[in-house]
Amino acid sequence: MSITVLKNGNVLDLEKGAYLEGYSVVIEGNRIVEVTDGRAEFNDAQVIDVKGKTVMPGFIDCHVHVLASNANLGTNAAQPNILATIRALPLLDAMLTRGFTTVRDAGGADWALMHAVESGLIPGPRIFPSGKALSQTGGHGDFRPRSDTFEPCSCCFRAGAIARVVDGVDNVRLAAREEILRGATQIKIMASGGVASEFDPIANTQYSEDEIRAIVAEAEAANTYVMAHAYTGRAIARAVRCGARTIEHGNLVDEAAAKVMKEHGAYAVPTLATYDVLGVYGEKLGLSADSIAKVEGVRVAGRESLKIFRDAGVPMGFGSDLLGEMQEFQSNEFRIRSEVIGNLETLRSATIIGAQVLNRVGQLGVIAAGALADVLVVNGDPLVDIEAVANGAERIEYVFQNGKRVKHAPPM
């Protein structure tokens, strides 16, 4: 089994918010086996001197859409299946290059794409897929034009569709079971209106409480959980009381809803980068006028939501939720968050908290013996200068995923 030693680096302990200076990280196979300040010497080991560099865990993005190669999700869903899949490949590779070794797909990706990455067939971050998100008729996942008809059964869904439309308690139970059968590691629901869909105002709540509870029951029966797209305090509190474990976006949260989240042990996954970019590029890249009109109302409020979640003690995972060509701005989320909650909490959101969301504590988001060897070597100190990670791949010199070097700096 191959051994790699990252020698004499500054290992970032994100729990303590401090560096272990001059430490070495020993990787054997796909695991970290030792973090030591002694001389790590092994026969036939590959030794990489990273003196003066930051050694830290690979990033976790808890809200991506890897199959959304087009910003207009209706257009994206209309693509032939093979094109939707092929167009995802460079998006996945670019995420990995930016240091995101794990992502939770919030609608679209399935077991097959997850397996393609796991087996080494294609480069990309480890995927925790949601399958198709569940949406009520006329909800955030319903991108039909008013004159259209819908596919008659789930077997007709296109690869580029991030969601499926399903109504009624019995039907949502079946849909949740189908997505789990197809490999979904969690179930995504649309619990309020959204930005990218034309006909559902953001203030609307979606799905009845009975439907949400039925979906939650099916997820829990399969030892997993529900992630809920929700913007307003009303929609957030309602979804959490019905059992949703993570709230996606949450830009219009209020103190009362944040208190409900804290009481129920729920997580927030804000996705602020997407609104800044949508405001600039959305129209050019095909977002409808109705959707663009919704952006500004949630963009400014999103920054305030970070303070509300923080003050209520709600843990926040890192999310980006970028669509199409805008996915290149994924790392901007670091910059936006650091301005509000500081560098350390921002970095924790993309590592420690992300691992909690995924139920992978001790395996992901940490540099420690026994953890999976998802490791970054960064040129700079992200605790002081968030630009060390906010500029995408620019200052990330090495990326290790499952112990394999998947990116390295070019020779000087």
Side-chain angles (χ1 to χ4, degrees):
M1 192 173 289
S2 63
I3 296 174
T4 300
V5 179
L6 301 177
K7 178 182 176 183
N8 201 30
N10 297 326
V11 178
L12 181 51
D13 184 332
L14 285 159
E15 287 282 1
K16 296 179 180 178
Y19 287 103
L20 304 172
E21 296 185 6
Y23 271 58
S24 295
V25 177
V26 182
I27 299 168
E28 184 172 3
N30 69 338
R31 298 276 174 178
I32 297 171
V33 295
E34 189 176 3
V35 180
T36 177
D37 60 351
R39 295 182 64 186
E41 294 184 358
F42 298 87
N43 292 332
D44 300 322
Q46 178 188 31
V47 178
I48 302 173
D49 191 342
V50 293
K51 184 176 182 179
K53 310 295 184 183
T54 295
V55 180
M56 64 184 301
F59 300 134
I60 302 167
D61 191 330
C62 285
H63 194 119
V64 302
H65 295 284
V66 300
L67 284 166
S69 58
N70 191 300
N72 184 310
L73 293 175
T75 301
N76 197 74
Q79 296 180 92
N81 290 351
I82 189 65
L83 288 183
T85 303
I86 290 172
R87 286 171 175 159
L89 303 186
L91 300 179
L92 287 164
D93 190 29
M95 288 182 185
L96 190 58
T97 300
R98 289 190 286 268
F100 290 90
T101 53
T102 301
V103 297
R104 183 180 63 159
D105 190 273
D110 60 8
W111 173 87
L113 201 55
M114 175 181 71
H115 179 69
V117 172
E118 285 183 347
S119 65
L121 182 63
I122 60 173
R126 179 184 298 101
I127 301 173
F128 286 77
S130 300
K132 302 299 184 192
L134 308 186
S135 169
Q136 71 173 46
T137 294
H140 180 55
D142 189 348
F143 297 99
R144 293 173 291 178
R146 296 193 188 277
S147 59
D148 199 7
T149 57
F150 195 55
E151 294 95 338
C153 65
S154 61
C155 63
C156 297
F157 294 156
R158 291 184 181 272
I162 70 164
R164 57 188 290 187
V165 176
V166 57
D167 301 285
V169 170
D170 289 342
N171 291 335
V172 297
R173 282 190 183 277
L174 175 60
R177 291 172 181 174
E178 287 179 340
E179 295 306 327
I180 291 166
L181 173 63
R182 291 172 179 152
T185 53
Q186 63 283 323
I187 297 297
K188 166 79 175 293
I189 67 168
M190 306 303 191
S192 84
V195 170
S197 45
E198 293 187 55
F199 306 126
D200 60 327
I202 286 175
N204 287 9
T205 59
Q206 296 179 8
Y207 275 135
S208 69
E209 293 188 10
D210 286 344
E211 287 170 315
I212 296 174
R213 288 192 177 98
I215 298 165
V216 168
E218 293 303 323
E220 290 180 347
N223 293 304
T224 187
Y225 64 92
V226 166
M227 53 190 293
H229 161 107
Y231 277 96
T232 65
R234 180 168 72 117
I236 290 167
R238 184 171 176 267
V240 169
R241 288 191 179 109
C242 290
R245 181 169 172 265
T246 74
I247 293 296
E248 312 303 305
H249 317 302
N251 296 52
L252 303 177
V253 68
D254 53 31
E255 291 179 4
K259 183 179 179 182
V260 171
M261 292 180 68
K262 176 63 175 176
E263 290 171 350
H264 286 76
Y267 291 81
V269 182
T271 59
L272 304 185
T274 191
Y275 308 105
D276 281 13
V277 181
L278 282 171
V280 177
Y281 298 102
E283 182 177 6
K284 178 182 177 182
L285 295 176
L287 202 67
S288 72
D290 289 330
S291 293
I292 291 169
K294 298 178 184 181
V295 171
E296 191 60 24
V298 297
R299 187 185 69 83
V300 176
R303 285 163 166 78
E304 185 64 27
S305 75
L306 296 181
K307 299 177 185 178
I308 294 172
F309 288 131
R310 177 197 62 196
D311 293 347
V314 175
M316 291 178 277
F318 182 105
S320 59
D321 192 34
L322 291 155
L323 307 174
E325 297 172 37
M326 293 177 279
Q327 295 197 34
E328 68 177 283
F329 298 103
Q330 183 179 25
S331 300
N332 281 8
E333 186 77 18
F334 288 111
R335 186 178 296 114
I336 295 168
R337 291 193 186 207
S338 66
E339 293 171 358
V340 180
I341 62 174
N343 292 14
L344 177 58
E345 289 305 317
T346 297
L347 294 169
R348 284 173 172 164
S349 73
T351 52
I352 295 171
I353 305 301
Q356 293 174 9
V357 169
L358 299 174
N359 293 316
R360 295 297 188 277
V361 174
Q363 299 297 304
L364 299 173
V366 65
I367 302 294
L372 288 169
D374 287 8
V375 183
L376 310 180
V377 178
V378 178
N379 183 10
D381 178 357
L383 287 180
V384 174
D385 179 16
I386 202 65
E387 294 302 312
V389 295
N391 279 326
E394 184 176 316
R395 291 165 68 180
I396 298 175
E397 296 193 355
Y398 291 88
V399 178
F400 288 83
Q401 183 190 44
N402 274 328
K404 296 180 180 179
R405 186 170 64 179
V406 293
K407 175 192 173 181
H408 61 90
M412 300 297 290

